[in-house]
Amino acid sequence: MKAMSVNVTGDEKALPGVRTISVARFQNRSAAEGLDRVAVEEPLEIQLGFGADGARQHRSISVTMRTPGDDFDLAAGFLFTESVIGSPNDIQSIAYCGDPSRPGFGNTVRVELRPPVRFDPALLERHFYTNSSCGVCGKSSIEAVHAARTIARPASGPLHSSVIHTLPGAARQSQQIFESTGGLHASALFSADGQLVLLREDVGRHNALDKVIGSLLLENRLPLDGHILLVSGRVSFELVQKALMAGIPALAAVGAPSSLAIELARTYGMTLIGFVRDGRFNVYCGQERIVESR
C-alpha cells in the first residue's frame, strides 16, 4: 500500500477545522485504501501585551491545543474566565502575530490590554488546583474560584423539561465539523425557550466554551442570564466555573458531571443537568427550576 498522505479538498476551504487524509481500511481479512476526514488539532499560543504606553510588556501566557477557527473569541474567553479581563473594554486589540508568509502563521494570537488595565501573573496560577490529581480539596478549589472573582447568583427563571429534551438534537444540526469528522466537542448556548443562540466546536471542551463566552463578551452581551448551556461529553469543575463567570444559570450535558462540578454548581445556585439523551436526563442541583411539560 502507498504511504498515507494529506489532501486538501474544496470542502475543507469551507470547513477549515477539517482535513482529509488517506487511510487503510480493514474489513474482515482484506485492506483497501480510502479517505477519511479528521478534525484539525494545532497549537494556539496566547500572548498578552500590557503596561503603560512606552513601557509595554509582552508575555506568552498560554498554549492550548485547539481546532483552528474563532481564535480571537477563544483568546478573549480564556482571558475573561481566567479573570485577566472583566469586560470587552479592557481589550485594545486582538491580532495574529508573526510573518503571514511563514508556516504556522495563525497559531499565535496577541491580545493588547488598554494601558490602564493591569495584569497580575498570579491570576493564572489557579490552574494548579483545577488539576484533578493535585490533591487540593474541593472546598479549597471553590474558595479559590470565589476569590478570583465574585460570581453573581444565577437567575431563577423556569426551564421546561420538554425544552431540555430538544437541546442535543438542535445542537447536532449545527455541528458541521462533528458531522464531518465525529471528533469534536461542542458548547451550545440556548435561550430559555430552546432557541440556539451560538454554537462552537473544538477538540478541547474547555476551548469550545471559551469560544462561546469570548464571542458574546466581545459583543458586550454578558452576563448570560436567562440562557441554558449544553456541552458535549462530561461536565468538569472548570466548565461549571467558566459558565458561572459568564452568568449562565443552567448547564446541561450529554454526559455526567463530576462530584466537584456538582458541588460548585450547588454553591452558586446553578441548575446542573446530566445525561440529556434518549428522552431522559438527571438533575443534580436546581431541580426547583424544572417545570414538567404536559
Side-chain angles (χ1 to χ4, degrees), residues 63-122:
V63 177
T64 184
M65 301 304 295
R66 97 310 188 187
T67 299
D70 306 303
D71 291 331
F72 294 176
D73 293 342
L74 172 56
F78 173 81
L79 294 177
F80 178 79
T81 58
E82 296 296 331
S83 298
V84 176
I85 60 174
S87 79
N89 296 327
D90 293 340
I91 298 175
Q92 182 170 278
S93 64
I94 307 178
Y96 289 113
C97 295
D99 184 347
S101 66
R102 295 181 65 85
F105 178 77
N107 284 342
T108 302
V109 167
R110 178 175 294 169
V111 181
E112 295 284 351
L113 302 183
R114 295 190 185 279
V117 180
R118 296 183 178 182
F119 168 59
D120 179 6

Side-chain angles (χ1 to χ4, degrees), residues 151-232:
I151 300 175
R153 187 176 180 85
S156 57
L159 292 172
H160 289 269
S161 60
S162 59
V163 169
I164 296 170
H165 288 305
T166 67
L167 301 183
R172 179 62 63 85
Q173 292 179 11
S174 297
Q175 290 180 246
Q176 293 182 317
I177 301 180
F178 179 87
E179 188 67 26
S180 180
T181 68
L184 284 188
H185 289 287
S187 286
L189 188 73
F190 292 87
S191 61
D193 61 357
Q195 298 299 309
L196 180 63
V197 176
L198 184 67
L199 181 142
R200 291 289 183 263
E201 297 178 278
D202 200 277
V203 290
R205 57 171 62 88
H206 300 144
N207 293 340
L209 182 50
D210 277 338
K211 287 179 178 181
V212 169
I213 293 173
S215 176
L216 296 170
L217 168 77
L218 294 175
E219 294 178 9
N220 204 22
R221 294 173 63 181
L222 301 188
L224 297 167
D225 53 332
H227 292 79
I228 180 170
L229 175 71
L230 177 75
V231 298
S232 60

